Amino acid sequence: MTGNELREAYLQFFSEKKGHLRLPSFSLIPQDDPTLLLIGAGMAPLKPFFTGKMKPPRTRVTTSQRCVRTGDIENVGRTARHQTYFEMLGNFSFGDYFKGEAIPWAWEFLTEVIELPKDKLWVTVYPDDTEAIEIWKSQPGFPQDHIVKLDDNFWEIGPGPCGPDSEIYIDLGEERGCGSPTCGVGCDCDRYLEIWNLVFTQYDRTEDGQYKPLAHKNIDTGCGLERLVSVVQNKRTNFETDLLYPIIEYASKVSGVKYGEDAQKDISLKVIADHARSMAIMIMDGILPSNEGRGYVLRRILRRAIRHGRMLGIKDKFLEGAVDAVVEIYREASDFGELVAKQDYIKKVISIEEDRFAATLNQGMELLDGEIKELKAAGKKELPGAVGFRLYDTFGFPWELTEEILHENGIDLDKDGFEKAMEEQRSRARAARAANTRVAVPDLSGIDVTQLRQDPEAKEAKVVAIWKDGKLVDEIHDGEEAGIILDKTPFYAEGGGQVGDEGLLRSEFGRIQATNAKKLPDGTVYHISYVEEGQLKVGDTVTIEVDQTKKLASARNHTATHLLQAALKKVVGDQVNQAGSSVTPERLRFDFTNFEPVSVQQLADVEALVNEEILKGVDVEISHMSLDEAKKAGAMALFSEKYGDVVRVVKVPDFSMELCAGSHVKNVGQIGMFKIVSETGVASGVRRIEAVTGKAALDYMNAKAALLSQVAAALKSSEEEVPTALGKLLAEKKEMEKQLEEAAANRDKADAAKLLAAVSDFSGVPVVCGKAQAASMDELRAVADLTLSKLAGGLVVLACVNDDKVNLVVKASKEAVKKGIHAGKIIKEAAAVVGGGGGGRPDMAQAGGKKPEALPQAFEKAADIIKAQLG
C-alpha cells in the first residue's frame, strides 16, 4: 500500500463498514480555540463535540487530520519518527460506542484489513482499566501475554477532553532493538513501535487543572499515518516511506549528497524533507511567515530548512523545487486538492522568504562562527544574550536556530540576557506606539509635496516613499510595519478625534494592510501599514481598497457627535463645551465640561432630540470660508485646535454648525439611530458620554430586546408585565426562604430525635453515629449541636451526602474529651475511607469526601478509633 492508499483504506473502513461520517481534515489554524496555536492532534478540532458545547454532525466521525507539533523540533531527522508535520488517522464517538467497539474495530483493521501479524502486536493499558484488559483478551488470535500495564496510559493535551487510554504497539524484530535483556514495550529503542492510541474519554480538564466527568463517555483514537505506512512498507524510518522519501531524493539531487552514506548529512536531508512538507501544507492552510504566533513557527521551520541546505553545500535557492516534490506526493490524495491549486502561490511565498533570509544568513553565520571561535579559545561555554539578540534582530535568526548551532558546538545561549534584550526592544516599540508622535518620520524634504494629492475616487497609486523606524528604506517585507506615502490617496487622515481610514494596498508581490492614515504638518498624508504577505518597494504601483464599511460607520459617528454636542447645549446648558472626542467605526466618545452628572431624564431628552433630528433627514451642508466668517456665522470651534485662514464648516441646518475637517454623512438620515450607552465622570468637571449609531445601535437595541424577551419567557409573562411578575417572584422568594428556614429548623430537631433513638454505649460514653438529611455543612453542624445537647457527656459522629459529596462532623462533650476522645483524630481516619481529608480540635472536627458509597465503612472506622481512644 502507498501512504495515500492506506489513508483511504482507514477512512473507508470506518465510514463504510462502521457507520462513521467521513469529514475532511480541518485547517491547521484552530477555530475559536485560544488554547492552541496550531492543531496538534486529531481530536483537537472536535473538542466542542466532546465537551458538549456543540452538537456533532453525527455521533460517529472519522478523519485524517493534518497536525503540526514543534516541541521536539531538534529531534527531527535524528530519530526515526519525529516530524513537525504528520497526519493523525482517527475514529471518534460522541456518546455513542465505547471500549466494547473501539478495541475490536482497531484489532480488525490492523489484522484483517492491512493484515499485520497478530503475534507481533502488543497493547498497553491503564492499570485500573480491567474492562479494557478483558476486551483485549477476547479478541480472536490475540496473544494473551501481550498486555502491559503502564501508569502513564492517561491521555491529555492541554485543557479539554481526556481519559485513560490503550496503546497498540508492533514488535519490529529483535534486530531493531537495543539488545538489553529488559527491552520491551515502552523501551526507548526502535523495536516496539506505537502505532495506535485508543483514548477512552471520560473527563474534561478545565483551564485551572480540574478534571470534571463528561456527561457522556466518548472515544478518541489516534493512529499515526506515517508510522503505520513505515510498518506496511517495511521501512526503518518514516522518512523512507513514499510520504517523505521523494523530498529526500530531491534534496539529495540538488545537493549532490547521496542519502545513506553519511549519518550527519542524512540528518540534514531528513530535516529538509520534513520541513518542506510542513511549510507547504501550513501555507496551504493560510499561515504566512511572520515574527509572531503560528507565522513565527512557519518562519522558524523555513529558515531551519535553509540552514540545513547550506550545511549540505546548497548555495542557491532550492525550496521551491521541494514544494513541487511535496505536491506530487499528495496530488492524488482527496484532502489535498488545495495544495495542488495553490502550488504556485506557496512557491512564491517561500521564494520571497528564502530571498530575505539568504541575504543575511551568510553574514549572520560569519558573526556566529567568529563568536564561537572566541568563546572556545577563551574556554567559555555561554554566548552572551545580547549577541544572540543581535543575530535575531539584525540577521533574522530565530533564537532556537542560534541555540541549536551553539549546542552542536557544546555552547549554551544566555537565555536570560537574550530575553532582557528582547524586552528592552519591546519596551521601545511600546513607547513609540504610545507616544504616537511624528518624530519618527524621516526627512522628506526631497519629496515634491505639490505633486501629492488627496483624491476620494483614487483606486490606484504609486509608492513615493517608505520609512521604517524613522529611516527611509527602499522596500519592506512581510511582518514589517512602516509609513507609506502615495502620490495620491483616497484615505481620510486622522484628525479632530476621528481615526484615519483603514484599507488594503495590493502590489504585484505584496498585500499591505493600512491600519491608519495620518497627516504631516505640511499636509502630506501617510499610511501606517503592516505587510501581511510579500513585499513592497518604492516605485511600485498599488491598487487601493478603502474599507468603505468602516469609513461610513466613522462618518455616522462623527456627524452624530456634532448632533450630540448641540443637543447637550440645548438640554443641559451652554456651560457644556467639548473637552475631547474619539470617533471610530465602532462607537463615539464625547467628553464635555459639566460639574455634575447628567441626569437620567436629561440623557433621555438628549437622545430623543438627536433622534428627532436624524428622522428629519436633512442634508449635511459642507462649505469653506474664512475663519472670521465662520465665527460670525456662529460655528463652534475648539480653543485647542489651530485653524488656517480658510476653514471647513459642517452644518446641520437649524441645529448644529462646527468647524471640522472630518468625514461626515451626506444626509443625517444615514445615521439611522443614535443610542447613548453610558455617561460617566473622567476628571473633575469633565463628563463622558459614549454612544453608538447605525448598525451598532441596532445591534445594541436588538440585544437588549432579546434579553427582555428571555426574561419575560423565564417569568412566563408578557414583556410589558415583566416588572410586575418580577416583583411577585421576589416576594415569593422571600416568603419561601422564611418557610425553608422554619422547615430546616424542624427537620434538624426531627433528625436529632431520630438519631438519639440509636444511641450506643462505648465504655460509658453515649455515642450517636449516623447519617443526617442536611443540605450543607452548616445544617449538619446544627443537627450535631442539637443531638449533642440531648446527649449528656456524649459524642456525635454525623455525615450527609449532597451531589455525590460527603460532609462529616464529629462533636464531643467536655466529659468525653476528658476520657480521651479526640474528634480531630477520629475524623481524620473516617474521612480517609470516603476519599477525603480533614481535622480539628478534640471537641469538634469536620471533613469532606467524595465516596458516599463508603460511608458504612467510615462509620466502622470511627467506631474502631473511639474504642481505641477510650481504651
Side-chain angles (χ1 to χ4, degrees), residues 547-557 664-666 670:
D547 190 325
Q548 295 295 340
T549 300
K550 288 186 175 181
K551 187 181 182 75
L552 180 56
S554 291
R556 287 192 187 100
N557 285 333
H664 291 271
V665 295
K666 294 179 180 179
Q670 288 180 278

Side-chain angles (χ1 to χ4, degrees), residues 124-327:
T124 62
V125 295
Y126 194 58
D128 296 337
D129 197 350
T130 55
E131 181 184 7
I133 293 172
E134 293 306 313
I135 295 172
W136 274 119
K137 287 183 175 180
S138 68
Q139 298 313 300
F142 181 83
Q144 298 296 296
D145 59 346
H146 281 201
I147 295 178
V148 179
K149 298 177 182 179
L150 295 177
D151 288 329
D152 61 356
N153 269 72
F154 196 93
W155 191 93
E156 58 186 337
I157 180 168
C162 57
D165 63 66
S166 180
E167 298 166 333
I168 306 174
Y169 289 77
I170 186 165
D171 182 358
L172 298 176
E174 192 174 347
E175 67 278 7
R176 300 274 193 99
C178 56
S180 169
T182 60
C183 181
V185 173
C187 183
D188 288 335
C189 71
D190 289 336
R191 176 173 177 176
Y192 295 92
L193 175 66
E194 181 196 344
I195 54 176
W196 203 324
N197 189 7
L198 308 175
V199 181
F200 311 124
T201 313
Q202 298 170 228
Y203 306 105
D204 180 23
R205 177 185 167 187
T206 61
E207 292 281 357
D208 58 359
Q210 297 183 54
Y211 293 85
K212 296 187 176 181
L214 289 169
H216 302 287
K217 296 177 181 179
N218 305 310
I219 287 292
D220 159 27
T221 72
C223 177
L225 175 63
E226 286 82 1
R227 289 189 176 199
L228 201 55
V229 172
S230 73
V231 173
V232 171
Q233 295 179 359
N234 195 28
K235 302 296 183 182
R236 293 187 67 87
T237 75
N238 294 1
F239 295 94
E240 290 156 19
T241 69
D242 65 342
L243 293 177
L244 277 165
Y245 195 66
I247 317 172
I248 290 180
E249 290 181 311
Y250 164 77
S252 179
K253 180 179 179 182
V254 295
S255 66
V257 175
K258 191 173 180 180
Y259 181 73
E261 292 186 347
D262 185 315
Q264 203 60 36
K265 290 182 177 179
D266 282 352
I267 292 173
S268 292
L269 289 171
K270 288 185 281 190
V271 167
I272 292 169
D274 170 87
H275 289 10
R277 188 174 69 156
S278 295
M279 69 181 77
I281 294 173
M282 289 174 77
I283 296 169
M284 177 194 81
D285 271 353
I287 300 168
L288 292 171
S290 71
N291 286 331
E292 293 182 341
R294 58 186 66 96
Y296 178 72
V297 175
L298 173 58
R299 175 164 283 166
R300 179 186 174 196
I301 288 171
L302 200 153
R303 292 186 170 183
R304 199 169 182 267
I306 295 172
R307 186 218 164 204
H308 277 275
R310 295 292 188 274
M311 291 170 68
L312 294 176
I314 305 174
K315 301 297 182 183
D316 299 323
K317 291 166 64 173
F318 69 97
L319 288 178
E320 287 183 75
V323 172
D324 291 334
V326 175
V327 171

Side-chain angles (χ1 to χ4, degrees), residues 401-665:
L401 178 57
T402 300
E403 191 172 52
E404 183 177 341
I405 296 170
L406 290 172
H407 282 177
E408 290 171 359
N409 288 273
I411 298 172
D412 292 325
L413 172 64
D414 171 19
K415 278 298 297 299
D416 290 340
F418 180 90
E419 288 297 334
K420 182 181 178 182
M422 175 70 85
E423 184 54 39
E424 287 173 356
Q425 187 205 53
R426 289 172 182 152
S427 297
R428 289 193 297 271
R430 283 195 294 266
R433 286 195 296 270
N436 204 20
T437 62
R438 297 184 175 113
V439 294
V441 177
D443 180 4
L444 300 172
S445 57
I447 296 176
D448 184 0
V449 295
T450 62
Q451 300 301 309
L452 309 178
R453 60 192 175 92
Q454 285 184 273
D455 179 3
E457 304 303 320
K459 302 294 183 187
E460 195 174 88
K462 182 174 288 187
V463 178
V464 174
I466 304 173
W467 67 87
K468 181 184 174 187
D469 298 328
K471 297 179 181 179
L472 286 169
V473 295
D474 293 327
E475 61 187 65
I476 49 175
H477 303 270
D478 55 351
E480 295 182 336
E481 294 182 0
I484 298 171
I485 293 177
L486 306 175
D487 65 347
K488 54 182 175 291
T489 179
F491 282 70
Y492 166 78
E494 179 178 294
Q498 181 180 335
V499 297
D501 283 342
E502 299 178 37
L504 284 175
L505 308 177
R506 299 177 188 267
S507 69
E508 183 181 3
F509 295 107
R511 173 188 167 98
I512 298 89
Q513 180 73 46
T515 58
N516 201 355
K518 294 193 175 189
K519 189 176 289 187
L520 297 175
D522 64 1
T524 301
V525 175
Y526 67 100
H527 309 79
I528 298 174
S529 304
Y530 175 82
V531 185
E532 290 187 337
E533 61 182 78
Q535 59 186 11
L536 184 71
K537 298 180 179 180
V538 173
D540 282 354
T541 296
V542 294
T543 57
I544 304 169
E545 298 173 25
V546 176
D547 190 325
Q548 295 295 340
T549 300
K550 288 186 175 181
K551 187 181 182 75
L552 180 56
S554 291
R556 287 192 187 100
N557 285 333
H558 204 154
T559 306
T561 304
H562 286 207
L563 298 180
L564 172 61
Q565 179 169 207
L568 280 167
K569 282 184 171 291
K570 294 180 191 298
V571 174
V572 180
D574 285 333
Q575 76 276 12
V576 168
N577 285 300
Q578 183 174 341
S581 69
S582 173
V583 175
T584 71
E586 292 76 29
R587 61 175 51 202
L588 66 92
R589 189 190 74 217
F590 185 74
D591 295 347
F592 58 98
T593 55
N594 204 51
F595 286 95
E596 61 183 8
V598 182
S599 70
V600 173
Q601 186 58 54
Q602 285 176 320
L603 286 174
D605 292 342
V606 166
E607 189 177 276
L609 197 54
V610 172
N611 280 308
E612 285 173 15
E613 200 60 29
I614 291 170
L615 290 173
K616 291 179 181 178
V618 299
D619 288 339
V620 177
E621 298 175 2
I622 296 177
S623 58
H624 294 80
M625 60 185 76
S626 70
L627 181 58
D628 288 340
E629 288 175 1
K631 288 180 177 179
K632 287 177 183 177
M636 285 188 288
L638 291 175
F639 70 90
S640 60
E641 195 79 19
K642 294 181 180 180
Y643 298 98
D645 294 333
V646 177
V647 293
R648 183 173 183 256
V649 179
V650 178
K651 180 180 180 182
V652 178
D654 301 320
F655 196 81
S656 166
M657 183 164 57
E658 294 188 36
L659 305 185
C660 182
S663 57
H664 291 271
V665 295

Side-chain angles (χ1 to χ4, degrees), residues 19-59:
H20 289 60
L21 173 65
R22 176 174 174 173
L23 291 178
S25 173
F26 292 83
S27 169
L28 285 168
I29 301 174
Q31 297 299 309
D32 302 318
D33 191 342
T35 67
L36 297 177
L37 187 65
L38 290 160
I39 294 298
M43 61 73 64
L46 306 174
K47 279 204 297 189
F49 302 146
F50 281 111
T51 58
K53 292 180 179 178
M54 290 178 63
K55 184 178 180 181
R58 196 180 295 174
T59 55

Side-chain angles (χ1 to χ4, degrees), residues 805-816:
K805 292 182 180 178
V806 179
N807 284 327
L808 289 165
V809 167
V810 178
K811 286 207 169 188
S813 64
K814 292 179 180 178
E815 294 84 350

